[in-house]
Amino acid sequence: FHNFLSVLIILITLFVLALLVIVVMKFNAKANPVPSRTTHNTLIEVVWTLVPVLILVGIAVPSFRLLFLELDVPKADLTVKATGKQWYWSYAYPDNGKFEFDSLMAQDKQPRLLGVDNEMVVPVNKVIRVQVTGADVIHAFALPAFGVKIDAIPGRLNETWFKATKTGMFYGQCSELCGKDHAFMPIAIRVVNDQEFASWVE
């Protein structure tokens, strides 16, 4: 879709540039001392209305297809519910005994402003469904490494997913201005192997 749009944008830009060059060369005062008094051209009016409409429809069809595909969450191996609060995250694991814990920024942990006292822990190479909501105001659960960014809205349960393909620590942040400590509610996800995850759950 990106490549299709890039080609389309380049073609439109070159077409408009060509029109500008033609107008500058053909209709300047030196080349055209007596200006045209044409005020209407029905064919041109119809063309410059219909062609952009057809282009927009051509863009809309694959765009809607992608939007629906984005909402198609695959069968999850694990569900985690992330609740945004002022100003920390709570994580619940309904598939593993329905336990829940809070994750607050830790002043003594690195990296600065991203380290937390309790990380969200998930197994590697598994589809993780993340259900996101807000407890008080609108927050946003954003984790760039996994391509995840979704609003946490009070009274609404939004859903996204990711699949981490390597172990390690991954960081994100609330990306919706939610109050005075908005900058101090990081997201830290530790990706571990299956055995470590089972031990952590125990």
Side-chain angles (χ1 to χ4, degrees):
F1 184 60
H2 170 269
N3 293 343
F4 164 69
L5 278 187
S6 295
V7 169
L8 192 63
I9 289 167
I10 290 167
L11 290 174
I12 291 170
T13 304
L14 291 175
F15 176 69
V16 171
L17 178 64
L19 288 178
L20 286 172
V21 170
I22 290 168
V23 167
V24 167
M25 301 303 288
K26 189 175 177 184
F27 297 104
N28 62 51
K30 186 177 179 184
N32 193 26
V34 180
S36 168
R37 299 196 176 275
T38 303
T39 56
H40 295 289
N41 187 314
T42 305
L43 178 62
I44 290 176
E45 299 269 350
V46 170
V47 169
W48 78 33
T49 302
L50 279 182
V51 170
V53 166
L54 293 174
I55 290 170
L56 289 174
V57 169
I59 292 171
V61 171
S63 176
F64 285 132
R65 192 178 298 127
L66 275 177
L67 283 172
F68 288 124
L69 188 63
E70 183 185 11
L71 296 173
D72 187 17
V73 178
K75 185 179 184 307
D77 297 305
L78 174 70
T79 299
V80 180
K81 183 179 179 185
T83 304
K85 301 177 179 177
Q86 290 181 308
W87 285 273
Y88 60 94
W89 292 93
S90 291
Y91 300 112
Y93 286 70
D95 298 342
N96 302 93
K98 299 183 180 176
F99 67 91
E100 186 173 348
F101 60 89
D102 295 334
S103 178
L104 289 87
M105 189 179 74
Q107 300 289 346
D108 57 340
K109 285 197 175 180
Q110 293 296 323
R112 182 177 170 271
L113 298 180
L114 291 175
V116 297
D117 56 358
N118 296 305
E119 299 106 0
M120 176 177 156
V121 180
V122 298
V124 70
N125 291 321
K126 301 284 192 221
V127 174
I128 313 298
R129 177 197 295 125
V130 185
Q131 296 178 330
V132 183
T133 190
D136 34 46
V137 297
I138 299 175
H139 301 277
F141 188 85
L143 204 85
F146 299 152
V148 169
K149 185 174 188 287
I150 192 162
D151 284 344
I153 302 171
R156 178 174 177 157
L157 195 66
N158 284 335
E159 192 171 71
T160 187
W161 68 279
F162 66 86
K163 183 178 183 180
T165 55
K166 62 180 179 180
T167 59
M169 282 294 303
F170 299 89
Y171 297 98
Q173 290 178 303
C174 174
S175 61
E176 183 71 45
L177 190 57
C178 57
K180 72 178 185 67
D181 286 341
H182 159 68
F184 307 108
M185 53 179 299
I187 299 161
I189 298 183
R190 182 157 45 99
V191 181
V192 297
N193 61 43
D194 290 344
Q195 293 79 14
E196 288 176 298
F197 179 73
S199 300
W200 178 81
V201 168
E202 287 301 317

